[in-house]
């Protein structure tokens, strides 16, 4: 695996203008998708690397032992059982209720999940995909309860991270570790394959403190229905499903969403955003100030210390 530390060539330059006042605009991506050349010692197979490069996501199963999966599920239940112990700013509830929707800074709230974030089965894959050492830009626990879990609308994470956090380049990847079985029915992650190759610059300027409403319902920084229809008609829609313990890696610019959950079966996942250390956040590109630190790591970054032993 070749890990690189290229010089920052983006200083003072915005390669992906967005939140435009006049109209939505679609441009070709200007960054690689796969930042490393595949070799025999890569942490994923060649066909997996090609799938990620072409589709913008990768589903990996059977990475963790049954005991490890059980330990993660138990740790998740312990955190959610006492939401009063969670810092108020880290906690997002379902619209109109007190039901837990998201807990940010997950690695702060659980030693188990802090260990998971540094596990080689996640971090080494992120290092390979990004061709650099990595740090956590964001971590969170997502929970979509049965019957009442609300949808997450279509968006590119990078568009938000670029506009509101100041992430310069498309050099980040998300790892979603499923903590419940995800079927096609209970609101799994949906993606538009290949959408990561184009950047949708959204229309509409960023309101002050946009995160206070967007975490429950995102309305700024979302593509138009016209664009979504066109991209989906070209490439279709994929649903990333699997049993608890499955890991979904998806590229920061891949358009994704999830439906509401009206089944009796909840959907939960631990979510880690790995960013290249050479791609640390600067000033926001389309917001008056950065989002708070619980949403995006700011300041000095340190490469994650990767751990290789099993944790259960």
């Amino acid at each position: 695996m070749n890990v690189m530390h290229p010089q920052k060539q983006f200083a003072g330059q915005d390669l992906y203008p967005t939140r435009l006042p006049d109209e939505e605009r679609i441009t070709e991506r200007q960054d690689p998708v796969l930042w490393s050349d595949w070799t025999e010692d890569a942490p994923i197979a060649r066909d997996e690397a090609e799938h990620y490069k072409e589709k913008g996501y990768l589903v990996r199963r059977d990475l963790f032992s049954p005991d490890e999966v059980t330990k993660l599920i138990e740790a998740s239940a312990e955190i959610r059982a006492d939401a009063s112990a969670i810092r108020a700013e880290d906690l997002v509830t379902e619209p109109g209720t007190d039901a837990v929707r998201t807990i940010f800074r997950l690695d702060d709230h659980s030693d188990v999940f802090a260990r998971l974030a540094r596990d080689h089965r996640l971090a080494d894959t992120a290092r390979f995909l990004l061709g650099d050492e990595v740090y956590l830009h964001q971590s969170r626990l997502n929970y979509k309860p049965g019957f009442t879990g609300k949808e997450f609308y279509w968006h590119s994470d990078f568009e938000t991270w670029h506009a509101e956090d100041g992430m310069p380049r498309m050099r980040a990847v998300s790892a979603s570790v499923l903590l419940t079985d995800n079927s096609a029915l209970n609101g799994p992650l949906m993606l538009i394959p290949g959408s990561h190759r184009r950047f949708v610059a959204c229309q509409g300027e960023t309101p002050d403190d946009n995160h206070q409403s967007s975490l429950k319902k995102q309305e700024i920084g979302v593509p138009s229905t016209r664009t979504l229809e066109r991209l989906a008609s070209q490439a279709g829609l994929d649903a990333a499903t699997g049993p608890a313990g499955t890991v979904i890696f998806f590229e920061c610019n891949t358009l994704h969403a999830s439906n509401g959950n009206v089944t009796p079966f909840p959907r939960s996942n631990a979510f880690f955003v790995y960013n290249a250390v050479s791609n640390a956040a600067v000033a926001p590109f389309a917001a008056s100030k950065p989002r708070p630190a619980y949403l995006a790591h700011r300041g000095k970054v340190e490469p994650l210390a990767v751990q290789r032993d099993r944790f259960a």
Side-chain angles (χ1 to χ4, degrees):
M1 182 173 69
N2 48 344
V3 177
M4 304 173 291
H5 298 278
Q7 292 183 346
K8 295 184 179 180
Q9 299 176 351
F10 48 76
Q13 183 182 12
D14 184 357
L15 296 180
Y16 300 102
T18 189
R19 311 288 170 96
L20 308 176
D22 48 358
E23 62 181 0
E24 179 183 79
R25 192 176 307 149
I26 301 177
T27 59
E28 295 299 311
R29 114 183 248 136
Q30 299 185 52
D31 289 309
V33 176
L34 188 62
W35 289 78
S36 297
D37 296 326
W38 188 87
T39 62
E40 293 289 343
D41 65 349
I44 60 176
R46 184 194 293 270
D47 62 339
E48 291 178 314
E50 289 301 317
H51 186 279
Y52 178 85
K53 185 175 180 180
E54 178 185 353
K55 302 291 188 180
Y57 73 94
L58 175 64
V59 179
R60 305 202 74 203
R61 297 182 173 89
D62 302 320
L63 293 182
F64 303 105
S65 70
D67 286 345
E68 287 176 311
V69 175
T70 296
K71 187 167 186 176
L72 295 174
I73 293 171
E74 290 174 348
S76 169
E78 288 174 5
I79 296 171
R80 290 179 32 251
D82 187 12
S84 63
I86 305 298
R87 289 182 296 251
E89 63 181 8
D90 291 352
L91 182 64
V92 179
T93 57
E94 290 285 348
T97 77
D98 292 327
V100 173
R101 179 183 178 100
T102 302
I103 298 172
F104 286 100
R105 289 193 279 212
L106 177 59
D107 54 316
D108 273 3
H109 294 291
S110 165
D111 290 340
V112 172
F113 286 109
R115 169 61 182 78
L116 177 63
R118 290 154 179 80
D119 191 89
H120 68 102
R121 288 161 286 187
L122 301 184
D124 274 355
T125 298
R127 292 169 70 234
F128 168 74
L129 297 173
L130 304 178
D132 201 351
E133 299 292 349
V134 297
Y135 72 96
L136 284 182
H137 178 74
Q138 183 191 102
S139 69
R140 63 182 189 261
L141 177 68
N142 290 330
Y143 186 72
K144 187 180 289 188
F147 298 117
T148 60
K150 302 302 181 184
E151 74 281 354
F152 290 86
Y153 194 67
W154 290 102
H155 64 285
S156 153
D157 286 331
F158 175 75
E159 194 279 340
T160 294
W161 298 338
H162 183 70
E164 300 185 41
D165 297 340
M167 182 180 290
R169 305 291 286 268
M170 295 179 183
R171 201 169 185 175
V173 62
S174 296
S176 175
V177 182
L178 304 189
L179 302 175
T180 55
D181 295 348
N182 277 215
S183 73
L185 302 176
N186 66 339
L189 178 71
M190 299 186 297
L191 311 103
I192 301 180
S195 58
H196 60 300
R197 295 185 175 279
R198 283 170 281 188
F199 178 64
V200 181
C202 297
Q203 181 181 5
E205 296 181 355
T206 309
D208 289 341
D209 298 319
N210 182 50
H211 64 279
Q212 293 182 1
S213 60
S214 68
L215 293 177
K216 295 194 176 186
K217 183 178 180 181
Q218 188 167 356
E219 296 179 310
I220 300 297
V222 298
S224 66
T225 55
R226 179 183 67 255
T227 292
L228 292 169
E229 287 172 350
R230 184 170 61 142
L231 293 175
S233 67
Q234 293 170 352
L237 301 177
D238 289 351
T241 61
T246 299
V247 182
I248 304 162
F249 294 92
F250 60 102
E251 209 278 334
C252 62
N253 191 47
T254 304
L255 289 170
H256 60 284
S258 65
N259 286 323
N261 183 15
V262 296
T263 76
F265 311 111
R267 193 210 82 169
S268 181
N269 68 300
F271 192 89
F272 303 103
V273 179
Y274 296 98
N275 191 27
V277 295
S278 58
N279 195 41
V282 293
F285 289 89
S288 59
K289 60 183 179 181
R291 295 193 301 172
Y294 66 90
L295 295 175
H297 178 88
R298 304 202 67 82
K300 184 179 179 181
V301 300
E302 296 286 350
L304 280 182
V306 180
Q307 295 183 251
R308 305 193 178 279
D309 56 308
R310 292 185 177 270
F311 52 87

